[in-house]
Amino acid sequence: MIFLTFITTIIHEIISFGVNKTKFTSQRRDFFKKSLDLGALSVVVATNAKAMDNARSIELETVDVKIDNLKKPYNIVQLSDIHIGGIIDKDFISALVQRVNNLNADAIVITGDLVDTKLDFAKPALNELKNLKSKYGTYFIIGNHEYFHGVVPIIDYVNSLGIKTLENENVYIGASNEGFNLAGVYDRFGNRYGAFKPDLEKALKDKKDSPTILLAHQPKYIEEVANTSELDLILCGHTHGGQIFPFNFLVKLQQPYVRGLNQHTNKTQVYVNKGTGFWGPPMRLGASSEITLLKIS
């Protein structure tokens, strides 16, 4: 709120300076000044209210993705950066699960930063994820925030809910010769952590001769992959789409992609989910929370 107020104040001062430099009478300048003060106050209130409302409202983003040599279409629901903890609680997850189940997905993927508190505090909300329903199951990869709260306990608990954590490995989704490989790697934060490091070669080992979709928490991981010729689609999160304008411009300095579907090479596409929850203040401005429905064909 202070940040958004500060930005509005800067704009207010610039305009106010311009008004003071005009040849208007002092009475007319005072009128413009008072109008400007009221306008700035209204903008502050409206912007902060809208940002908080955006954080509570999750939009459904439906995206059509064409993949070469895929024998039949599939619907994949992607969730990312839920950040369970604080306001993101059991009720939030229960409502989210209901919305996802209404989409009748073939598979559900959660691309990291699911837990952002001590596991004991997160368990009531996590337990709601047992109710997720899809034809071929739910799959999860860890994000950087899981490293802060205990990678092994979180993975073990998520697996106990019937959700498969992909730990530098792949599974086959769909009927024989009609499906695709779904691979997942640890987050690149593992390189700094000293364990649970991403290993794409291991993740793709023994995969079938079918299209391949990779789950990787940070879009920046793609810069560490010398050759993406075996990857048709990479699903990421982490960026929150910038979450609060104008931070999206700062995120762009650190990540190659910030949001949406991006053509990385002639073969490889990258989709970045803006986040289903939020991190830090319960506010979003210019980057809505999202559930992604990927229609791959």
Side-chain angles (χ1 to χ4, degrees):
M1 293 177 70
I2 292 172
F3 171 77
L4 293 176
T5 303
F6 175 69
I7 295 298
T8 305
T9 302
I10 290 176
I11 296 171
H12 170 278
E13 290 302 306
I14 292 172
I15 297 175
S16 182
F17 178 79
V19 170
N20 289 333
K21 292 297 182 180
T22 63
K23 296 181 179 179
F24 295 151
T25 63
S26 59
Q27 185 177 5
R28 193 169 187 184
R29 279 200 299 268
D30 288 343
F31 171 77
F32 278 117
K33 184 66 167 59
K34 289 178 181 178
S35 298
L36 184 61
D37 292 345
L38 289 173
L41 181 60
S42 299
V43 168
V44 167
V45 173
T47 301
N48 281 281
K50 178 61 175 174
M52 288 185 279
D53 181 65
N54 286 346
R56 293 193 298 267
S57 303
I58 306 174
E59 295 186 1
L60 176 64
E61 300 281 356
T62 302
V63 184
D64 293 313
V65 184
K66 300 297 182 182
I67 294 179
D68 292 339
N69 302 317
L70 186 65
K71 301 295 178 59
K72 59 176 292 187
Y74 292 88
N75 289 338
I76 301 173
V77 170
Q78 181 191 6
L79 307 175
S80 192
D81 301 270
I82 298 174
H83 291 279
I84 290 174
I87 296 175
I88 308 293
D89 58 7
K90 178 181 177 180
D91 292 339
F92 182 101
I93 300 301
S94 178
L96 175 64
V97 167
Q98 185 174 348
R99 285 191 64 184
V100 171
N101 287 345
N102 289 338
L103 298 175
N104 298 313
D106 292 303
I108 300 167
V109 299
I110 305 172
T111 49
D113 283 3
L114 173 61
V115 177
D116 203 4
T117 186
K118 290 183 178 180
L119 180 58
D120 286 343
F121 298 150
K123 284 180 179 179
L126 286 171
N127 290 340
E128 294 296 316
L129 297 176
K130 290 189 295 187
N131 300 317
L132 284 171
K133 297 177 182 178
S134 63
K135 188 172 183 179
Y136 297 107
T138 302
Y139 301 88
F140 168 64
I141 58 167
I142 60 172
N144 56 302
H145 280 254
E146 273 75 30
Y147 291 85
F148 307 146
H149 302 289
V151 175
V152 173
I154 290 173
I155 289 175
D156 289 345
Y157 197 78
V158 169
N159 286 342
S160 76
L161 302 174
I163 297 171
K164 169 64 177 173
T165 304
L166 294 175
E167 304 181 64
N168 290 334
E169 59 186 318
N170 69 82
V171 296
Y172 191 76
I173 303 294
S176 180
N177 298 319
E178 293 185 342
F180 59 92
N181 302 295
L182 181 66
V185 292
Y186 291 127
D187 184 56
R188 62 190 299 272
F189 187 82
N191 295 321
R192 293 170 57 187
Y193 186 78
F196 304 99
K197 302 176 183 180
D199 187 334
L200 183 59
E201 183 178 352
K202 183 179 179 182
L204 300 181
K205 185 178 180 181
D206 299 326
K207 73 178 183 67
K208 297 184 183 298
D209 185 20
S210 297
T212 298
I213 296 175
L214 175 69
L215 308 182
H217 178 62
Q218 298 190 44
K220 193 173 181 66
Y221 176 68
I222 201 169
E223 296 178 349
E224 301 172 15
V225 179
N227 185 358
T228 63
S229 61
E230 294 185 89
L231 305 175
D232 295 273
L233 176 65
I234 304 174
L235 302 180
C236 306
H238 185 67
T239 69
H240 294 216
Q243 187 163 321
I244 299 175
F245 177 86
F247 287 118
N248 53 305
F249 296 111
L250 299 179
V251 174
K252 183 62 178 174
L253 298 176
Q254 204 263 338
Q255 298 286 338
Y257 305 113
V258 177
R259 63 173 73 182
L261 187 63
N262 304 272
Q263 192 73 45
H264 183 67
T265 66
N266 288 336
K267 178 180 176 62
T268 306
Q269 299 176 78
V270 179
Y271 186 82
V272 184
N273 178 295
K274 298 192 298 295
T276 310
F278 49 82
W279 180 79
M283 304 174 77
R284 280 181 170 271
L285 189 65
S288 61
S289 298
E290 75 170 83
I291 298 169
T292 312
L293 175 60
L294 296 145
K295 294 179 172 289
I296 62 171
S297 61

